[in-house]
């Protein structure tokens, strides 16, 4: 299923309004917004993916529309999905985006891949 382009546009406007430099990259069937070379938020289907401080993870799960991010059968701590229920106002979207931006300076960047596969001898 393609990602929600309206949600992606809302995120783009928020980043621009807040003066945040970002790069949007197609990833895993969705769109990822990178800040300082690190995954910050993304859009997967019609959900917002948020990378936040793992210490805030349990509390985040109590908020409307928030669910564990689970691609593989095991939730990834520090990452959550937020459904449309939790994004129904500009304030709610801003709150999630601000959590992600606040954590971004502390987040680890993923390792760069070499881009070429290695043949085994």
């Amino acid at each position: 299923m393609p990602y929600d382009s309206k949600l992606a546009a809302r995120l783009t406007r928020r980043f621009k309004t807040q003066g945040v430099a970002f790069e949007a990259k197609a990833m895993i069937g969705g769109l990822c917004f990178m800040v300082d070379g690190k995954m910050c938020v993304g859009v997967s289907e019609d959900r917002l993916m948020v990378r936040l401080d793992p210490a805030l993870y349990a509390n985040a799960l109590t908020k409307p529309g928030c669910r564990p991010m689970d691609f593989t059968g095991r939730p990834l701590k520090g990452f959550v999905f937020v459904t449309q229920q939790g994004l129904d106002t500009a304030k709610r979207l801003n709150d999630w985006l601000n959590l992600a931006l606040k954590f971004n300076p502390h987040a680890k960047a993923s390792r760069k891949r070499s881009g070429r596969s290695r043949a085994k001898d």
Side-chain angles (χ1 to χ4, degrees), residues 70-113:
D70 182 358
F71 280 123
T72 63
R74 286 181 33 192
L76 191 55
K77 202 162 196 167
F79 289 84
V80 295
F81 279 133
V82 184
T83 65
Q84 292 298 320
Q85 177 188 10
L87 305 171
D88 59 349
T89 66
K91 180 186 180 333
R92 284 186 175 177
L93 178 63
N94 258 356
D95 289 347
W96 287 111
L97 185 55
N98 288 337
L99 278 176
L101 288 169
K102 186 174 181 180
F103 180 65
N104 188 263
H106 309 286
K108 291 184 181 178
S110 63
R111 291 183 289 165
K112 301 274 184 202
R113 293 184 183 188

Side-chain angles (χ1 to χ4, degrees), residues 15-28:
F15 276 117
K16 288 181 177 180
T17 299
Q18 292 182 12
V20 176
F22 69 95
E23 179 182 4
K25 286 187 170 186
M27 293 180 109
I28 315 168

